[in-house]
Every structure is written in structure tokens, then in C-alpha cells.
Amino acid sequence: MYPLEDGCFAPRNQWYVAAWLSEISRTPKERMILDEPVILYRTQADEIVALAGLCPHRGFPLASGKLIGDDIECPYHGLRFGPDGACTLIPSQDTIPAACRLRSYPVAARWQWLWIWMGDPALADETLIPDHVEAKLVDTDFRNAGGNYYLVPGRYVLLHDNLLDLNHVPFLHRDSFGGDGGGAIQVPEVTVHENIVTCSFSQPNIACPPFLSELLGYDGPVARQYISYFYAPCMHVIWDSISKLDPETGKAEPLGALLHIHAVTPATKNTAHYFQGEGQDFSHTEPCLAEVFRSSELVSKALDEDVSATRLIEQSIAACHGRIPEILLKADKAAVLGRRILQAMIRAEDGGQSHRLEPADAMPAA
Ligand code: FES
Ligand SMILES: [Fe+2]
């Protein structure tokens, strides 16, 4: 499906962010992931469980079920399932059919989020989770905070396109933080190493955005240098170094660095989970940037602009029966390379055959 090859949706044998750890409690939470309903909850020993979200008896959604100890009880006829997915009780009979069980998914907690493996559990190698030390997510020099979540009404690749295309900042965000972006951002340098797309670009002389002035205690001209890392297929981390510019000499003096943290997980074929956080290596006082992001109307407006652009493009795709025309520009290089990695990951899994949509869902060819 657009912008991937017809019939291709998302790689399954990969780790994805399923939730913020703070979202998971003793009350089961349902989340659609790669078009499958999943329930997440904590055991009494505080371990996180991820199970298929539909009861195998009659398909009742288990998110409304009750936890009895560490088992989940289906509200319809009382079947119970343990944290490993095995059925532990059928109130109306003594025997438990072998097929009466829930699929359980491997999970791993890293930093503030829960990663899930939706593919073959035998291949769930935790060393494939992006390196959180290298990405600075667990770097104590940075004050990182997550917690922002959006269910985006658009397919996940559109959000990756958006995050890999920072040229939209001075335009789409003209009325929020990109208003004085100094015009188009310089054409980025892009490199690919394994499943990581790295892209660097700069804004050599712009007015300090107001939300940063507050944090930095400075509102003069600044230079910003960005290095963006896309850890396909899910995580983006953008290092954003800010320097104070001396208007006389043009000399730059470092003020600090920000970390813009994003994870994108396919929910259904045309919706995506968007997890967003922020970090900073300065001003370890209140409020931190993530709190500013949560409370600032300006910044939430900016994030809404990205969500809304994704929604509008998704609507265009629907209006064009599944595939929109596009002319890719030089500045789209990072997004194109990101798409290629996703496509290659899908192809590597059974040649993509296990990910092909049902004929009724398949998009018409361009
Ligand atoms: S549908 Fe769940 S117990 Fe019957
Ligand atoms: Fe944006």
C-alpha cells in the first residue's frame, strides 16, 4: 500500500513501541498494533504482559475483562487466561481445548517505553532494539521526558515521511514555531548505515523561538544544527544544538542541546501511534522542555499541525483510491531512504507474502 509496494503494510519481525510504561497498570489497556488488538497489563509482581486482545471463545474484547490475580477473565462467559496466554479456566467444562489460548507477545522495557515484538517470537532478539545509550535516551547529561501520545488518523509511513522531512518546518509550522525559520532548511546530508538513516541540516541564523527563549533565558539570534537519526522501523531521535550568534562578529557560542524523541508504530492500515518526548542538556530546573511541550499552546499547535497534515494526506490517498501522485525532490532523500528500508524489511520476511493484504483491501495499482 502507498507509499510502499502494493499489498505491503509493515514489517512484523521488528520491535515497536507499544506504550509509555506509565500507561500500563493493573487495568488492562487495549492498543491496536499492526492491525491486531493487543491488551497490556501488569502482574502483581509488576511484570508487563502483552496478550492478544480478543477472547478465542467468541471474540469478546478482553480489555474490559477483570484481572483475577495475574489472570484475565473474559467478561462474556468467564474464561480465564494466564500471563503466558494459556487458558486456566472454562467455568462450564473441565477440559480445556489445546487451541483455547491467547497469543502472548514478547515485550521489553527500555527508557520510558514498552517495546513489543509482533512477529515470530523465536526471532525476538532484544539486541535489535535501538541502542538507547547511543541515542542518548538514557544519557544522564540529558533531561529526557516522554509521555506525549497521539493516535494519528493517517498511515504510519506518512508520519515517518514527516519526521524525516524537516523542510516542512518553516512552512507547515509558519504560525507556530517555524515562523522565522529563515526559509527552506539547507538541503540535508543523508547517510544510511544498516537500519539507521542519519540526516544533518542547519538553520544558520534565526530568531530564538519563544519556547526556547524561556528555557535558555536568551532571545537573540541563534544558529541551530540538527542531526536526525531514524532507527527503522520505529524510532526517531533528533539532536538539536543551539548556539548564540554574536550579531557583530557572527561568532557562535553553544547554548545547549535538545533531544526531540519520537516513536511511530502502525496501529491499523491507516492509523498510527505517535509517542513523543523531549530532552535537554541545560537548565535542569523547572519546567523542562517536555513539560513545556505538554503545556504550551504554541508547541501543541505545532504537533497538531503535523498530525493534521498526516490526516489530510491520508484523506487525499482515500480520495485517489489508494495511491497519490508525487514528485520527489532532493530534500525528500531521507524520507525516500526510510521508505526503502521499510520496504526491504517487509521483503525480507517471506518475500513480503505474509504481509500482503487480503484482495479486498489491496490498493489499485498507480
Ligand atoms: S467470549 Fe470470552 S468467554 Fe465467551
Ligand atoms: Fe513538523
Side-chain angles (χ1 to χ4, degrees):
M1 58 191 285
Y2 171 85
L4 304 177
E5 288 172 7
D6 286 349
C8 291
F9 171 39
R12 298 186 63 80
N13 286 325
Q14 298 290 336
W15 290 97
Y16 289 94
V17 172
W20 293 109
L21 292 175
S22 57
E23 294 183 282
I24 307 168
S25 67
R26 291 279 295 157
T27 302
K29 176 176 193 61
E30 185 185 69
R31 190 146 271 170
M32 287 297 291
I33 302 177
L34 270 67
D35 232 6
E36 288 178 23
V38 173
I39 51 162
L40 305 165
Y41 65 88
R42 288 180 190 267
T43 64
Q44 294 171 109
D46 213 27
E47 285 181 354
I48 295 176
V49 174
L51 296 173
L54 301 185
C55 178
H57 175 221
R58 301 285 299 281
F60 198 92
L62 290 168
S64 55
K66 198 163 82 178
L67 290 185
I68 314 282
D70 288 342
D71 290 6
I72 181 141
E73 182 184 79
C74 177
Y76 206 178
H77 310 97
L79 268 67
R80 288 189 198 169
F81 303 90
D84 61 353
C87 181
T88 56
L89 178 75
I90 300 181
S92 58
Q93 65 182 55
D94 294 333
T95 52
I96 296 178
C100 187
R101 59 175 304 126
L102 297 172
R103 182 169 176 198
S104 83
Y105 300 92
V107 290
R110 292 284 185 285
W111 182 55
Q112 297 180 12
W113 41 38
L114 181 77
W115 292 83
I116 192 166
W117 181 275
M118 299 295 291
D120 178 352
L123 303 177
D125 174 357
E126 290 192 15
T127 64
L128 299 174
I129 296 174
D131 183 338
H132 283 44
V133 174
E134 179 195 84
K136 298 201 181 295
L137 289 170
V138 290
D139 185 330
T140 49
D141 282 348
F142 276 85
R143 181 178 178 187
N144 296 332
N148 296 327
Y149 169 79
Y150 303 80
L151 178 59
V152 178
R155 61 196 64 192
Y156 76 101
V157 188
L158 298 180
L159 214 44
H160 286 313
D161 284 352
N162 172 286
L163 290 164
L164 287 165
D165 151 35
L166 276 294
N167 263 298
H168 73 266
V169 170
F171 301 98
L172 183 68
H173 301 304
R174 194 192 302 270
D175 298 330
S176 54
F177 69 87
D180 184 24
I185 289 172
Q186 291 173 9
V187 174
E189 279 174 33
V190 187
T191 56
V192 175
H193 178 63
E194 295 176 348
N195 294 337
I196 305 172
V197 180
T198 306
C199 159
S200 60
F201 48 94
S202 59
Q203 289 178 298
N205 185 353
I206 58 168
C208 191
F211 72 94
L212 279 179
S213 306
E214 206 178 307
L215 285 170
L216 295 164
Y218 168 81
D219 64 1
V222 292
R224 290 176 83 175
Q225 178 71 38
Y226 305 80
I227 309 180
S228 158
Y229 299 88
F230 171 38
Y231 298 81
C234 186
M235 187 172 95
H236 296 254
V237 175
I238 304 172
W239 302 358
D240 174 0
S241 309
I242 301 149
S243 303
K244 179 178 181 175
L245 276 184
D246 183 326
E248 309 274 297
T249 62
K251 226 174 126 189
E253 179 192 323
L255 281 169
L258 306 175
L259 218 54
H260 308 295
I261 304 160
H262 313 266
V264 176
T265 298
T268 62
K269 294 192 179 74
N270 53 13
T271 60
H273 303 293
Y274 181 20
F275 304 90
Q276 195 271 334
E278 290 292 323
Q280 62 196 74
D281 73 350
F282 57 90
S283 175
H284 286 227
T285 55
E286 301 302 326
C288 70
L289 186 58
E291 286 154 2
V292 172
F293 260 53
R294 265 195 288 278
S295 60
S296 157
E297 271 181 34
L298 181 80
V299 177
S300 69
K301 179 171 167 15
L303 289 170
D304 288 345
E305 285 160 352
D306 289 317
V307 170
S308 149
T310 306
R311 174 176 52 81
L312 291 171
I313 295 173
E314 186 63 45
Q315 286 172 359
S316 302
I317 297 169
C320 295
H321 309 290
R323 188 164 285 275
I324 44 174
E326 60 181 9
I327 294 170
L328 294 166
L329 307 176
K330 283 182 193 159
D332 295 315
K333 187 172 173 187
V336 169
L337 291 172
R339 291 176 182 184
R340 278 191 198 152
I341 293 176
L342 295 170
Q343 185 67 64
M345 285 175 165
I346 296 172
R347 252 193 231 123
E349 298 176 356
D350 300 333
Q353 290 306 307
S354 60
H355 308 281
R356 298 197 82 77
L357 307 180
E358 293 304 313
D361 295 335
M363 299 300 179

